[in-house]
Amino acid sequence: GVLGGEAKEWITSRGVPVPDNPEALAEMADTVLHMATYTPHGEEPENPARLQERSKQGASLARELLRRALFLSPSHPPSVCLLADLQYQTGAIQEAEALFQKAARLAPSEGGPLTALAEIREEAGELKEARNLYERAHALRPDRVDITSNLARLRRITGDGKGALQAYQEALTQEPSQPDMLSNLAGLLQSEPHLLPDAAPLTPEVLLRRALLIEPGHIYASCNLARLLRDEKGRVDHAAGVFDRATKAAPLSAPAWLSKAATLLSGEGEIEQEKVLEAEEALEMVVLLEPGNMQALVGLAQIEGQRRFGFAAEDEDEDTAEKPPQEGIRDVEREEKLRGYFEEAVDLMPDNAEAWTAFAVFEADLGEGVEKGEAVFEQALSRNPSDPSVLREAALFQQQRAKDGVGAAEQLYRMALAIDPDDVPTLVNFGVLEHVKRTRLESAEGLYKRALCLEPSSSGALANYASLLHDRGDENKARDMMTRARALDPTI
């Protein structure tokens, strides 16, 4: 096999002439890229570091071959497209965009270059331009399901639910066995139920069940079906059953175990101890699969907090109801085990604000108050004094948990924005703080507007700005903005 860095030597030193025509050079570059990441069937895959190095060497050689091809024929479409895609994959976005634009001019009947340009525009937050490019690509290649499904997604994000439905229906006519599209269409109908008559006889439940018949371990479909059964129909046990099947179909899927735990812990009133223990086992699986998974660690910490402060000890005595409530069960050994999880997480990811936040919340819940949580953030800030994300999370902790934390939170937000004035989550969180004061609505609006200017697809900024507009009495604008937020994040 010709693998990675050996390929150049093989081509130049072993009697194989380097082609002098662009067609052959492009084919050779394509082959090199394939071989640079190829593992023969039955062989053990290489370690990630070696594979990454081999891929890097292959990309370097392929780039050299393609540049030679374009030197010989500057308007050779396959070489332009291959080099554009290679530059995009390796992070040279500006050059890739220029090459894709050139490819679109050279092959105006092809939708591929326009699709690539749409992806670049979407990543830059220019959603309307991305949609326009997908519309043009779809007009050229209505037979390509990937273009049609991406067009449906962008129509939905930009607020055209009816257009999104039409595109999804068109894509499913071409390829009815695509679980991703079935799930996405179900999500659209759940967030915009007024479209249900146009989609009949399809309903979200039918679409999600069909997706799971095709791919039983499809996590997005499992999560949405379970939420539908749990939240809209009150069938919590059925929802848990969906995740039972998902974890059996995909036992190494951390999201499946995480969602199963969340479903078991949902519902009104006191949760049965059996379900709590089952959820705890699911969260332990997540930590085994993904050490340092914050959601799982937080869930385990919350269960331990409930066990210590909220769960009454089981007692078969019929007179239990007449006895005073018990404090709950404190398992010091268990607390230390959880503390070890968090300490491992922050050691593995010392600059991960989410890890420090989860650790601080854990200590605040199981300690004697917020002081222990504040101590964790002091440690985090001493190790990351100029990290705006850590400052932001420390501010949010003060904002939500400390009795007199508003002033401290404001100071921390200002420090974070002094380091990175374009940090969108900080702008949104600071906006919420100003909004809550009620006397600082103008300041809050300015922060939300700046966040949306930097990131038009920020669902948090849209939703919180919608809330501010509602409070100010601008109902129509608030409704439109909340619709956009929910199209981006149906959980809002």
Side-chain angles (χ1 to χ4, degrees):
V2 183
L3 303 176
E6 299 171 7
K8 187 172 183 178
E9 180 186 351
W10 183 77
I11 291 171
T12 57
S13 304
R14 300 188 184 184
V16 180
V18 176
D20 60 358
N21 69 82
E23 199 69 41
L25 284 162
E27 286 185 16
M28 184 173 279
D30 197 24
T31 302
V32 167
L33 288 171
H34 170 71
M35 296 304 292
T37 55
Y38 174 70
T39 299
H41 181 68
E43 291 190 14
E44 287 291 324
E46 294 182 68
N47 69 67
R50 169 61 182 150
L51 189 61
Q52 184 178 11
E53 180 60 26
R54 189 151 64 86
S55 177
K56 184 178 177 182
Q57 290 174 343
S60 178
L61 177 56
R63 190 179 291 110
E64 185 179 326
L65 291 166
L66 291 167
R67 291 200 190 285
R68 178 176 174 81
L70 290 173
F71 174 78
L72 295 171
S73 177
S75 298
H76 184 242
S79 297
V80 175
C81 286
L82 269 174
L83 184 56
D85 191 55
L86 177 58
Q87 295 301 80
Y88 180 60
Q89 297 299 329
T90 53
I93 304 299
Q94 286 186 334
E95 185 181 354
E97 186 171 12
L99 286 164
F100 280 129
Q101 288 170 345
K102 182 177 180 179
R105 290 193 299 271
L106 292 171
S109 62
E110 285 298 316
L114 291 173
T115 301
L117 288 168
E119 290 177 13
I120 292 172
R121 292 299 95 217
E122 184 177 356
E123 287 177 2
E126 297 175 17
L127 300 180
K128 288 184 178 179
E129 180 60 24
R131 173 182 169 173
N132 289 338
L133 287 161
Y134 277 125
E135 296 279 7
R136 288 171 57 193
H138 179 255
L140 292 170
R141 295 295 303 271
D143 58 311
R144 278 187 52 175
V145 179
D146 61 324
I147 293 177
T148 309
S149 63
N150 275 318
L151 174 59
R153 185 174 55 79
L154 263 293
R155 282 178 177 176
R156 181 185 176 187
I157 291 173
T158 53
D160 183 7
K162 191 166 185 177
L165 174 60
Q166 290 171 347
Y168 277 131
Q169 289 172 324
E170 182 183 335
L172 286 170
T173 300
Q174 296 171 317
E175 183 53 74
S177 301
Q178 278 275 2
D180 285 346
M181 278 194 293
L182 290 164
S183 300
N184 288 337
L185 177 53
L188 171 66
L189 296 176
Q190 282 178 286
S191 64
E192 300 192 42
H194 63 276
L195 296 173
L196 280 167
D198 293 330
L202 298 176
T203 65
E205 185 172 353
V206 167
L207 289 161
L208 293 168
R209 290 192 183 279
R210 188 182 294 177
L212 290 171
L213 281 173
I214 297 164
E215 189 180 324
H218 194 281
I219 301 307
Y220 184 81
S222 297
C223 292
N224 272 8
L225 179 58
R227 288 193 196 102
L228 185 151
L229 293 171
R230 182 187 70 198
D231 300 338
E232 295 182 23
K233 303 195 175 182
R235 291 151 60 185
V236 175
D237 290 338
H238 285 76
V242 170
F243 285 118
D244 274 336
R245 292 189 291 277
T247 51
K248 286 173 184 173
L252 299 181
S253 169
W257 288 105
L258 194 61
S259 297
K260 178 181 178 179
T263 299
L264 288 164
L265 295 173
S266 65
E268 298 179 0
E270 188 175 346
I271 302 167
E272 298 171 16
Q273 283 290 338
E274 186 179 341
K275 288 185 177 180
V276 173
L277 293 173
E278 194 177 346
E280 194 170 23
E281 288 175 3
L283 292 171
E284 292 273 13
M285 276 295 298
V286 177
V287 174
L288 285 172
L289 292 166
E290 294 183 359
N293 183 293
M294 287 302 105
Q295 288 177 282
L297 289 170
V298 170
L300 287 167
Q302 288 173 338
I303 288 174
E304 190 55 44
Q306 288 291 326
R307 182 174 286 122
R308 178 177 172 187
F309 298 114
F311 297 152
E314 294 186 10
D315 193 333
E316 299 296 329
D317 190 340
E318 293 180 1
D319 298 329
T320 300
E322 299 176 7
K323 297 178 181 179
Q326 300 184 41
E327 290 183 0
I329 305 166
R330 180 169 187 179
D331 185 340
V332 175
E333 184 178 344
R334 175 76 180 160
E335 288 178 22
E336 285 303 315
K337 182 180 179 181
L338 287 168
R339 185 171 286 109
Y341 281 144
F342 284 110
E343 287 173 346
E344 181 184 1
V346 295
D347 283 340
L348 286 170
M349 302 173 286
D351 59 347
N352 186 304
E354 188 181 2
W356 287 104
T357 301
F359 191 12
V361 170
F362 166 78
E363 291 289 14
D365 285 345
L366 296 187
E368 303 303 322
V370 297
E371 290 80 8
K372 286 199 173 184
E374 289 173 333
V376 170
F377 269 120
E378 285 177 12
Q379 186 183 355
L381 290 168
S382 69
R383 293 173 69 173
N384 304 277
S386 300
D387 188 328
S389 63
V390 175
L391 287 162
R392 178 183 69 238
E393 294 303 327
L396 188 62
F397 182 85
Q398 289 284 346
Q399 181 179 340
Q400 294 178 340
R401 289 179 170 266
K403 287 183 179 178
D404 301 313
V406 172
E410 182 174 349
Q411 183 180 359
L412 287 164
Y413 282 136
R414 293 191 186 282
M415 288 169 63
L417 289 173
I419 296 166
D420 183 1
D422 295 338
D423 184 69
V424 171
T426 302
L427 289 165
V428 174
N429 287 357
F430 193 11
V432 171
L433 182 70
E434 297 288 76
H435 183 182
V436 167
K437 292 178 183 176
R438 299 293 175 184
T439 57
R440 308 279 288 273
L441 292 184
E442 188 174 336
S443 172
E445 184 173 20
L447 289 161
Y448 293 147
K449 282 183 174 179
R450 177 161 176 74
L452 288 169
C453 180
L454 292 164
E455 189 179 324
S457 59
S458 169
S459 57
L462 287 165
N464 282 295
Y465 193 9
S467 175
L468 184 148
L469 292 168
H470 169 76
D471 290 347
R472 210 166 58 189
D474 195 343
E475 295 294 339
N476 291 333
K477 195 172 179 182
R479 191 180 301 109
D480 290 344
M481 196 161 288
M482 187 60 78
T483 299
R484 287 168 58 197
R486 286 176 177 154
L488 291 161
D489 183 358
T491 62
I492 291 176

